[in-house]
Amino acid sequence: MSNVLSRPYYSVYRPLFRVSGGYPPGESPEDYLAHPRFGGPSRSDIRAFYLLERDLVATFRYIEPSHENIAVYSHEYYALLLRACTEFESHAKNILDKNGYEKKKGLLNIEDYAKLERACKLSGYRIRIPTWNGPSKIWTPFQPWSGGVHTLAWYKNYNDVKHNRNAKFSLATLDSVVAAIAANLAILYAQIGDGALDELRPPSSIVEDDYESWRNASHGLNLFEIATPSWPPEECYHFNWLILQGDSDPFEKFPFT
């Protein structure tokens, strides 16, 4: 196989296709995620997600998570939408920055964030709430990116309501909030895989459903389950971390430009 990925990208998780040689007990081929130069999310970033999830669950004391309430909006959902989207922006900027991406003019926007699709395959992440009341609903917050469309409905709603709350307040819906928080979960996984929430929850359980593996992505709240994208062998990492970790800088930059 030519052009194999022999080094991991900064702040980008991908499965390891092949490991040459075994690993001693207690060591893992994914130890690169904990390397100080990797640049993934901090414990504070993970805690920020936990707080979003906790505050969303708190609203379910009054608003049932169901299809009938998907368009419900409120000041609480407005605040959660703003928090979730600014957290997403922070993650997106971190990945781009760690890989040397620089915009020639102006601030980063959704056109820049959409470049993450090639590196992280965010469109392949699917998130659901197993306790959803009524027909099952699956959120795919980045699905438009798979077809080259940069606009994300939940992110557009965030911008619209942020800049004109009086006229656009009704866009701060339960659906938009769940999509935005689900986007945070996806981009956390895109950086550090199943370790995304290990700081705050027990090891994830795997639920087989319709021939797809759904990971329990919560930590005591039992809110979200996530299905991650599949990666063809040529897009997986191919290295032995026990050898690679001895380099002064074992990572490389993803070619966003």
Side-chain angles (χ1 to χ4, degrees):
M1 187 181 300
S2 60
N3 300 321
V4 297
L5 300 179
S6 58
R7 291 175 179 269
Y9 297 120
Y10 290 99
S11 199
V12 173
Y13 168 81
R14 292 189 184 188
L16 195 64
F17 178 69
R18 181 172 58 230
V19 178
S20 58
Y23 277 77
E27 298 194 48
S28 164
E30 293 189 349
D31 283 348
Y32 72 91
L33 298 170
H35 193 283
R37 296 188 67 108
F38 177 65
S42 66
R43 294 186 67 179
S44 177
D45 293 325
I46 296 172
R47 179 167 173 75
F49 172 79
Y50 166 72
L51 293 172
L52 285 169
E53 187 184 41
R54 183 203 66 181
D55 291 347
L56 174 61
V57 170
T59 71
F60 294 161
R61 295 171 60 191
Y62 313 101
I63 305 297
E64 182 69 14
S66 67
H67 180 76
E68 288 83 357
N69 292 327
I70 208 162
V72 169
Y73 61 96
S74 69
H75 282 283
E76 188 69 22
Y77 286 150
Y78 167 74
L80 280 172
L81 184 61
L82 266 59
R83 284 170 54 197
C85 288
T86 53
E87 283 298 317
F88 157 70
E89 291 171 339
S90 179
H91 285 295
K93 290 172 182 176
N94 176 68
I95 300 172
L96 292 170
D97 179 66
K98 290 295 188 297
N99 286 279
Y101 178 79
E102 294 183 3
K103 189 169 184 175
K104 293 181 178 179
K105 186 177 181 180
L107 300 175
L108 296 180
N109 56 34
I110 195 65
E111 302 292 323
D112 302 291
Y113 305 150
K115 297 180 186 296
L116 295 174
E117 174 66 12
R118 288 195 302 118
C120 303
K121 201 180 287 191
L122 286 166
S123 65
Y125 285 88
R126 307 170 73 233
I127 292 97
R128 69 182 182 183
I129 297 176
T131 55
W132 190 259
N133 192 359
S136 177
K137 179 171 173 57
I138 295 174
W139 282 266
T140 53
F142 299 103
Q143 193 279 329
W145 286 358
S146 66
V149 176
H150 295 167
T151 302
L152 304 172
W154 54 272
Y155 189 76
K156 183 178 185 302
N157 289 348
Y158 150 71
N159 273 304
D160 287 347
V161 73
K162 178 179 68 172
H163 293 296
N164 192 350
R165 193 189 70 187
N166 288 338
K168 303 292 185 178
F169 189 38
S170 62
L171 297 178
T173 63
L174 169 62
D175 188 38
S176 293
V177 168
V178 175
I181 297 177
N184 276 266
L185 178 58
I187 203 168
L188 277 169
Y189 263 76
Q191 293 173 86
I192 50 176
D194 278 330
L197 303 175
D198 281 347
E199 297 284 356
L200 296 166
R201 64 164 172 80
S204 63
S205 59
I206 306 297
V207 180
E208 295 292 338
D209 180 27
D210 298 330
Y211 306 100
E212 187 165 25
S213 293
W214 290 88
R215 292 162 171 81
N216 183 336
S218 293
H219 27 80
L221 297 176
N222 296 316
L223 179 59
F224 290 120
E225 291 178 346
I226 185 169
T228 56
S230 59
W231 292 86
E234 65 273 13
E235 295 182 7
C236 294
Y237 288 143
H238 297 248
F239 57 75
N240 186 320
W241 180 246
L242 290 179
I243 298 173
L244 192 59
Q245 66 180 341
D247 289 8
S248 59
D249 189 351
F251 303 98
E252 65 180 351
K253 295 178 180 179
F254 185 87
F256 282 112
T257 54

